[in-house]
Amino acid sequence: MRNIKLILAYDGTEFHGFQTQPNLRTVQGVLQQTVEDVVGHSVSIIGSGRTDAGVHARGQVVNFATSSRIPIEKWPIVLNTKLPDDVVVQHAELVPDDWHARFCAIGKEYRYRIDRSPYTDVFWRKYSHHVPYPLRLEPMREAAGHLVGRHDFTSFCAANTPVVDKVRHLHVVDLIEEGSLLTIVCRGEGFLYNMVRIIAGTLLDVGRGKLSPDQIPDILASCDRTQAGVTAPAKGLTMWKVFYAESSGLIP
Amino acid sequence: MRNIKLILAYDGTEFHGFQTQPNLRTVQGVLQQTVEDVVGHSVSIIGSGRTDAGVHARGQVVNFATSSRIPIEKWPIVLNTKLPDDVVVQHAELVPDDWHARFCAIGKEYRYRIDRSPYTDVFWRKYSHHVPYPLRLEPMREAAGHLVGRHDFTSFCAANTPVVDKVRHLHVVDLIEEGSLLTIVCRGEGFLYNMVRIIAGTLLDVGRGKLSPDQIPDILASCDRTQAGVTAPAKGLTMWKVFYAESSGLIP
């Protein structure tokens, strides 16, 4: 058996999230079916982590074991020919037998995209959250700075999450402007459920003056989900990159 | 009656082009229906020009006459609330009674977007033409330079076009690189049917070495459509801007 790692990009709009669910179109389900059609045996697709319905990916990582002898460099084209056009294999490589897309991951980068046009940018409507009111970036950057580091992110995690340890280490929380698009970059060792979308919702509250950057440390300290901003819409979020080695750029 | 000018952006993917056609979903048809629902009387939507099925617009311009007293600054939000999400009004203004979106236009800018990623960029798949083979930009720029100016563009016009005078003046044919995207910018006083898509197909032939830039003057001189490259796919093309006054930036 060979262990194959794939890097996937997908448009999450028409998927019910990454993880297989009965009778629903999911990325894992579509990919598994396609791989099984190609290799002629059942496979188990392991993802680096789930993405919710409507969330996109530029660099989701998966692996699976197969007896197929298809040369590794042919995998992207073989799969892309059969996959629907909203999921694209960007890269394939052979990895050691014990390599695991989730357990070997040491960090992730997510990006949350905001469209600041007065009226929706039609070409970004599915990949961004439209925010037509003015945003002040300096307070947003200051607030972002308070989130960097090792913190208990209970206030930035969906309230009903079963995870006990909600301490996470964020290495980067950055804002990138490209024309009317504003992108929040979050890079860290791990993320809680809805964490980036709650960070985005909270930074938007800062940008519109509803929260002050100085309140962020108090919000973190409160360990109370109701103190942070709303969960920003799924369509603005993209799983950008998964990191697998310290040298890979996780830590700036 | 008041004469209202709108600037429209649309995703052409799900439209059978701009112009109204019986029983088909078109931009003009959808907009006319929406405006009529708002104003309560029939209107005639005049466009700056047609776009084909699958072609997008960032700055299509239309006008129509109405007795409605809706304040001009409210028009975008009133229409956007009722329009489907693949067409967005970006701007509205009152114009003189004799102002006409087509007759008053003095030039247009189109952009043709090429995705040079090894595998399709999933987020640009509907708005670009995927070209995975290597492109040499210097010869493409040289070829583009030969197209600038006043020429008979018969070789760059769909063969079955009834237009007699095929002399047009291109002010700009430029290439812009943004990561793996390559955009061909064409700005001029007027365009023939399929002209930008044939220019794109021809510049791609130059980029892959199938044509030399020196052949462009001969292709123009031949006045023979078969001498130029193929018509590149509709989805890569966007009507970018319509110019209405010399001072508007048409001429660099």
Side-chain angles (χ1 to χ4, degrees):
Chain A
M1 297 291 273
R2 304 199 300 171
N3 191 11
I4 292 180
K5 167 187 172 183
L6 302 178
I7 301 178
L8 297 182
Y10 48 84
D11 175 342
T13 312
E14 302 294 331
F15 288 106
H16 292 265
F18 178 80
Q19 194 180 37
T20 301
Q21 295 184 65
N23 306 319
L24 291 175
R25 184 175 188 265
T26 66
V27 177
Q28 195 178 26
V30 163
L31 181 65
Q32 179 170 328
Q33 187 61 60
T34 305
V35 172
E36 290 182 351
D37 288 350
V38 166
V39 301
H41 62 77
S42 67
V43 297
S44 170
I45 304 280
I46 297 161
S48 74
R50 305 173 192 177
T51 52
D52 277 343
V55 172
H56 315 288
R58 177 180 162 278
Q60 169 68 289
V61 177
V62 302
N63 72 294
F64 59 92
T66 176
S67 58
S68 165
R69 307 306 296 174
I70 294 172
I72 190 66
E73 69 277 10
K74 299 285 185 200
W75 273 98
I77 194 80
V78 166
L79 292 175
N80 287 337
T81 305
K82 291 169 183 284
L83 284 167
D85 77 347
D86 50 356
V87 50
V88 178
V89 176
Q90 297 290 341
H91 174 80
E93 66 183 276
L94 274 176
V95 284
D97 287 353
D98 61 351
W99 194 92
H100 188 285
R102 182 153 54 98
F103 298 151
C104 295
I106 61 159
K108 289 206 180 85
E109 180 174 318
Y110 286 92
R111 296 195 174 193
Y112 195 91
R113 206 180 270 124
I114 295 154
D115 168 18
R116 298 175 295 171
S117 312
Y119 307 104
T120 311
D121 183 327
V122 75
F123 303 108
W124 287 102
R125 72 192 187 283
K126 294 176 178 175
Y127 315 125
S128 65
H129 172 37
H130 182 228
V131 176
Y133 48 79
L135 293 173
R136 291 183 57 221
L137 296 199
E138 274 319 304
M140 289 177 77
R141 288 189 209 280
E142 196 183 330
H146 287 300
L147 294 168
V148 173
R150 182 172 297 275
H151 303 285
D152 184 320
F153 282 99
T154 300
S155 302
F156 293 85
C157 174
N160 53 352
T161 309
V163 179
V164 177
D165 178 10
K166 293 181 179 169
V167 173
R168 293 293 182 274
H169 193 153
L170 285 185
H171 295 293
V172 171
V173 184
D174 217 347
L175 270 64
I176 302 174
E177 285 192 274
E178 295 165 278
S180 54
L181 292 177
L182 175 67
T183 303
I184 301 170
V185 178
C186 291
R187 196 189 305 156
E189 289 173 10
F191 291 86
L192 298 163
Y193 188 54
N194 279 354
M195 182 166 152
V196 180
R197 291 167 59 187
I198 298 169
I199 288 175
T202 306
L203 292 183
L204 284 170
D205 279 348
V206 173
R208 71 205 294 188
K210 210 177 128 186
L211 280 178
S212 130
D214 304 338
Q215 291 176 266
I216 301 294
D218 297 337
I219 294 171
L220 282 165
S222 73
C223 291
D224 175 359
R225 169 69 188 92
T226 67
Q227 298 302 301
V230 299
T231 306
K235 66 179 183 172
L237 184 62
T238 302
M239 180 192 271
W240 199 258
K241 189 171 177 178
V242 186
F243 297 90
Y244 287 97
E246 298 293 346
S247 61
S248 60
L250 171 65
I251 299 163
Chain B
M1 299 290 271
R2 304 198 300 169
N3 192 10
I4 293 179
K5 168 187 171 183
L6 302 177
I7 301 179
L8 297 182
Y10 49 84
D11 175 343
T13 311
E14 302 294 331
F15 288 106
H16 292 265
F18 178 79
Q19 195 180 37
T20 301
Q21 296 183 65
N23 305 317
L24 290 175
R25 185 175 187 267
T26 66
V27 178
Q28 195 178 26
V30 163
L31 181 64
Q32 179 171 330
Q33 187 62 59
T34 305
V35 172
E36 291 183 351
D37 288 350
V38 167
V39 302
H41 62 76
S42 67
V43 296
S44 170
I45 305 281
I46 297 161
S48 75
R50 304 173 191 178
T51 53
D52 278 342
V55 173
H56 314 288
R58 176 180 163 280
Q60 169 69 289
V61 177
V62 302
N63 72 294
F64 60 91
T66 178
S67 58
S68 164
R69 307 305 297 176
I70 295 170
I72 190 65
E73 69 278 8
K74 299 285 185 199
W75 274 99
I77 195 81
V78 166
L79 292 175
N80 288 337
T81 306
K82 290 169 184 284
L83 284 167
D85 78 347
D86 51 357
V87 49
V88 178
V89 176
Q90 297 291 339
H91 174 79
E93 66 183 275
L94 273 176
V95 284
D97 287 353
D98 61 350
W99 194 91
H100 188 285
R102 182 153 53 97
F103 298 151
C104 296
I106 61 157
K108 289 205 180 85
E109 180 173 317
Y110 286 92
R111 296 196 174 192
Y112 195 92
R113 206 180 272 122
I114 295 154
D115 167 21
R116 298 176 295 171
S117 313
Y119 307 105
T120 310
D121 182 327
V122 75
F123 304 108
W124 287 102
R125 72 192 188 284
K126 294 177 178 175
Y127 314 125
S128 66
H129 172 38
H130 182 230
V131 175
Y133 47 81
L135 292 173
R136 292 184 56 223
L137 297 199
E138 273 320 303
M140 290 178 76
R141 288 189 210 278
E142 197 184 330
H146 287 301
L147 294 168
V148 173
R150 183 173 295 275
H151 302 286
D152 184 320
F153 281 99
T154 301
S155 301
F156 292 85
C157 174
N160 53 354
T161 310
V163 180
V164 177
D165 178 10
K166 292 179 180 170
V167 174
R168 293 292 183 275
H169 193 152
L170 286 185
H171 295 292
V172 171
V173 184
D174 218 346
L175 270 65
I176 302 174
E177 284 191 276
E178 294 166 281
S180 55
L181 292 177
L182 175 67
T183 302
I184 301 170
V185 177
C186 291
R187 196 189 306 155
E189 290 173 8
F191 290 86
L192 299 163
Y193 189 54
N194 280 354
M195 183 166 151
V196 180
R197 291 167 59 189
I198 298 169
I199 288 175
T202 306
L203 293 183
L204 284 170
D205 280 348
V206 172
R208 71 205 295 187
K210 210 178 129 186
L211 279 178
S212 131
D214 304 338
Q215 292 175 264
I216 300 294
D218 298 337
I219 293 171
L220 283 165
S222 72
C223 291
D224 175 0
R225 168 70 189 91
T226 67
Q227 297 302 302
V230 299
T231 306
K235 67 179 183 172
L237 185 61
T238 303
M239 180 191 272
W240 199 258
K241 190 171 177 180
V242 186
F243 296 91
Y244 287 98
E246 298 293 346
S247 59
S248 60
L250 170 63
I251 299 164

